[in-house]
Amino acid sequence: METSATSTQLINWDVAGGTAERLVGPGPKLTAAQIGGVVADLRAKADASVEHVHRITGLDAARDLRDSTVLVVDRGTWARANVQSYQGLLAPAMERLAASQKTKMSPAAVAVGGGAAGVELGGILAFLSSKVLGQYDPFSGLLGDGPAGGRLLLVAPNIVEIERELHVDPQDFRLWVCLHEQTHRVQFAAAPWLRNHLQDTIAEMTGGLLDAPGGFAERLKTAAQDAMAAFNAKRRQRTTAPGTSVDETPSTGLLSVLQDPEGQALLSHLTAVMSLLEGHANVVMDAVDASIVPTVKTIRQRFNARGGSRGPVDAWIRRFLGLDAKMRQYRDGQRFVNAVVREIGMDGFNAVWERVENLPSEHELHHPREWIDRVAPHPAA
């Protein structure tokens, strides 16, 4: 993929990667022998989990995942890998913006703005790099130097840190994590059209975001201020109205704040798709019993309970990035998948992977019967 010099400077990708690596913490201390053991074990657990995903989902795509790969990485490598994927994913939008602003931006302004944007992106990735346990990245091949089918990244220090924090069995926890992440890998193998569809949707949405009136830095400032207001409202609810659900606080988040009205339909569709993917992976995890992961009940209880122990800075950043809203959306996705599977079985649900028209809308996530009537009105008896 060829890009112009101006478009590549709108976000300084080297600054983004360097900033992330400087800001990220190293994670738990491990000896070289321990690191080698964790890496080998995660690779083995990733391999072992595929057969379980196949059995639970019934997706034959799990039998052939040769066009993608599994990498066990540290935090800095995860951040760098995401910078690379963002660079490929945003290239069309950057080209469009560079062309539209060609006569309005001096080289000095581009350099300063690109550096600032790189620092902002690097700071976000540094925060996320200490939180992510694993990630399936379907866009890693966009720049031509990665596997066409994407890559599964398992962030070893974060997995070790959480299994120690929760005092759970490492072998069971690692398999549990791999089951979720390998499900994403299987989803994209089952729906090879999904990668391009998401790429086109994100490019269109991002292009509208970058073309919107007002500077990118100013819109970031607005997002941060709104997130702080929502966070303070959430804290007031806890102190003055104990019976009020924190979910009643309007959630802003970076993307929802920055979208213009024309982008809301794209954001709604993207939200629905991501909720579907995460919800489906959670359903697979929940289908695992003690015969596969002996301590699965303990893992679920302790992992779900850890959200209440976040500090104020962590909580505000999550609000700013919209991560709390994402978790609610993913629960919506899980409820949708469970409802459809109860009604028409997993084979009926798997129609969702056949074509783009079968993806649920955000409305259908909350009304699964309407999706069933539209996509699978005559399930097999």
Side-chain angles (χ1 to χ4, degrees), residues 42-43 46-47 68-72 151-154 182 185:
L42 284 172
R43 288 188 178 280
D47 289 342
S68 59
T69 189
V70 177
L71 301 174
V72 182
R151 57 192 174 195
L152 172 58
L153 305 174
L154 297 171
Q182 286 283 38
R185 191 181 178 201

Side-chain angles (χ1 to χ4, degrees), residues 137-373:
D137 175 10
F139 307 117
S140 62
L142 290 179
L143 293 181
D145 55 356
R151 57 192 174 195
L152 172 58
L153 305 174
L154 297 171
V155 190
N158 294 349
I159 294 173
V160 171
E161 185 170 75
I162 297 304
E163 69 192 21
R164 290 179 176 180
E165 176 188 325
L166 300 182
H167 301 289
V168 293
D169 182 272
Q171 300 298 310
D172 287 0
F173 184 71
R174 294 169 191 176
L175 179 58
W176 189 70
V177 169
C178 287
L179 283 163
H180 181 101
E181 302 306 335
Q182 286 283 38
T183 300
H184 290 315
R185 191 181 178 201
V186 171
Q187 290 165 346
F188 280 87
W193 48 266
L194 183 57
R195 180 180 298 104
N196 288 339
H197 175 67
L198 284 177
Q199 180 186 358
D200 292 343
T201 302
I202 293 170
E204 186 176 356
M205 187 176 69
T206 306
L209 169 65
L210 294 173
D211 287 343
F216 185 65
E218 185 63 29
R219 297 199 296 279
L220 280 174
K221 179 181 177 182
T222 299
Q225 290 172 340
D226 287 350
M228 180 59 76
F231 174 65
N232 288 336
K234 180 176 178 179
R235 293 182 66 184
R236 286 195 296 272
Q237 282 183 341
R238 287 175 171 169
T239 57
T240 63
T244 303
S245 169
V246 297
D247 285 350
E248 295 173 12
T249 304
S251 63
T252 52
L254 185 57
L255 276 180
S256 61
V257 169
L258 300 182
Q259 285 297 312
D260 58 24
E262 290 74 16
Q264 289 300 322
L266 292 170
L267 180 59
S268 175
H269 176 68
L270 188 61
T271 296
V273 176
M274 300 309 295
S275 299
L276 168 73
L277 298 179
E278 290 294 336
H280 179 244
N282 284 347
V283 167
V284 171
M285 292 176 77
D286 280 353
V288 171
D289 59 23
S291 67
I292 300 172
V293 180
T295 60
V296 64
K297 288 185 177 180
T298 300
I299 290 173
R300 285 184 187 133
Q301 291 170 352
R302 295 181 184 177
F303 188 82
N304 292 337
R306 66 184 290 270
S309 63
R310 297 188 182 113
V313 174
D314 187 291
W316 178 83
I317 294 176
R318 286 176 176 276
R319 172 71 64 174
F320 171 53
L321 298 178
L323 299 182
D324 288 340
K326 281 179 62 177
M327 293 308 298
R328 287 193 294 274
Q329 291 158 2
Y330 295 165
R331 289 194 292 271
D332 292 340
Q334 185 170 355
R335 284 191 289 267
F336 169 81
V337 176
N338 279 326
V340 172
V341 171
R342 280 195 303 268
E343 185 83 13
I344 61 175
M346 187 63 80
D347 287 344
F349 166 79
N350 282 340
V352 78
W353 312 117
E354 293 176 2
R355 60 184 65 88
V356 67
E357 292 80 10
N358 289 4
L359 292 171
S361 66
E362 193 171 11
H363 172 81
E364 287 173 334
L365 278 182
H366 302 279
H367 302 86
R369 180 72 248 178
E370 295 185 24
W371 181 88
I372 293 172
D373 290 342

